[in-house]
Amino acid sequence: IEPYELVRIADVGDAYVEKPYHLEPAHDEIQRAFEPIKDAGVTPLAVGGDHSISLPILRVMGRIEPVGLIHIDAHCDTGDEYYGSRFHHGAPFSRAVEEGVLDPERTVQIGIRGTLNDLNQWKFSYDHGMRVIRMDEVRQMGIESVIKEARRVVGDGPTYLSFDIDALDPAYAPGTGTPEIGGFTSYEGQLLVRGLLGVNLIGADLVEVSPPFDHAHLTSLAGASLMFEILCILADAVSRR
């Protein structure tokens, strides 16, 4: 795929946040930054930031009808209140379902693993019909079968892709806030993205790269490389439409 041959591509700058320590006003600022992008008919590829940035983007992308979601991550991010807030990086998708911008029955979460603070931490995902593919199931199924299952779940409807860099094993992406061992290799991450070619993608993000935690720029390289892979399948989706 030559994305620049298929579509016009531009870096439209930062969704600047003036109140980063006030989560809800910060999300409002992000939402306002994405509204003119959506109104202009642009398909966004965003880079975080923590995973809470997906919520204000989904508010924009799903304002007419709830969208499907392919979510590649070590965590379901469908939690609830944590340290006094329900809008943190561990809960964007539960809030998106509650707000009617995300269709839980067209949501698949891939690579889930790790220890939990609460045995029912991801109960929201199961209760609302999300397809959760834990990492042990990924290993049993194989990457190709996981891709087929993801495509089955989202179908032909408008779908958002969210890739948390901690889906990768910390051997490949140490520079993130909540690393979990036993994850994907960099190449498996590429295969997952490439396998989504032809899905009706209306936007995407890559989140949770934290350069201060990084070593030898491993995580930044992985993040930037995966963003290019995502850019390619987004360009294809736009050109098909």
Side-chain angles (χ1 to χ4, degrees):
I1 295 175
E2 294 182 80
Y4 290 89
E5 296 295 321
L6 293 177
V7 295
R8 289 185 298 165
I9 297 170
D11 180 351
V12 297
D14 295 339
Y16 184 72
V17 175
E18 292 184 350
K19 300 178 180 178
Y21 294 109
H22 294 75
L23 290 180
E24 293 172 61
H27 290 164
D28 291 341
E29 291 179 279
I30 295 170
Q31 181 176 340
R32 287 195 296 271
F34 276 83
E35 284 170 348
I37 293 173
K38 171 68 172 175
D39 291 341
V42 175
T43 299
L45 170 56
V47 56
D50 71 36
H51 218 150
S52 73
I53 71 160
S54 298
L55 175 59
I57 300 172
L58 286 170
R59 286 172 176 163
V60 175
M61 306 309 295
R63 67 188 180 191
I64 297 175
E65 63 174 318
V67 300
L69 173 69
I70 298 173
H71 173 206
I72 303 171
D73 200 331
H75 314 97
C76 287
D77 290 351
T78 49
D80 202 6
E81 183 174 324
Y82 187 67
Y83 284 109
S85 175
R86 301 179 75 238
F87 295 91
H88 51 86
H89 66 91
F93 302 120
S94 42
R95 301 294 80 80
V97 170
E98 291 170 349
E99 295 180 17
V101 296
L102 176 63
D103 183 351
E105 295 186 355
R106 291 186 54 240
T107 294
V108 58
Q109 302 184 299
I110 303 169
I112 310 304
R113 62 189 189 276
T115 55
L116 299 173
N117 295 325
D118 178 353
L119 197 59
N120 293 318
Q121 188 166 335
W122 306 136
K123 186 173 184 292
F124 187 100
S125 292
Y126 295 98
D127 286 352
H128 288 78
M130 296 180 177
R131 175 66 168 101
V132 180
I133 307 179
R134 300 183 309 277
M135 198 66 201
D136 54 353
E137 189 177 0
V138 169
R139 294 304 180 202
Q140 293 164 6
M141 294 173 65
I143 296 294
E144 288 188 12
S145 294
V146 170
I147 292 168
K148 289 179 182 178
E149 177 69 352
R151 298 176 72 100
R152 180 195 69 79
V153 170
V154 300
D156 297 327
T159 301
Y160 190 82
L161 169 62
S162 188
F163 197 120
D164 188 323
I165 202 67
D166 69 28
L168 302 186
D169 190 275
Y172 301 90
T176 189
T178 50
E180 301 282 1
I181 65 169
F184 293 106
T185 67
S186 300
Y187 181 56
E188 288 171 332
Q190 290 176 302
L191 291 179
L192 283 171
V193 173
R194 292 172 185 174
L196 303 178
L197 182 67
V199 173
N200 183 15
L201 295 172
I202 48 85
D205 62 47
L206 187 139
V207 298
E208 298 283 354
V209 173
S210 180
F213 292 166
D214 208 0
H215 299 280
H217 306 295
L218 286 172
T219 316
S220 298
L221 174 61
S225 300
L226 286 167
M227 282 190 73
F228 179 74
E229 302 276 353
I230 295 169
L231 182 69
C232 288
I233 62 172
L234 280 180
D236 179 80
V238 171
S239 67
R240 288 170 187 262
R241 286 195 291 271

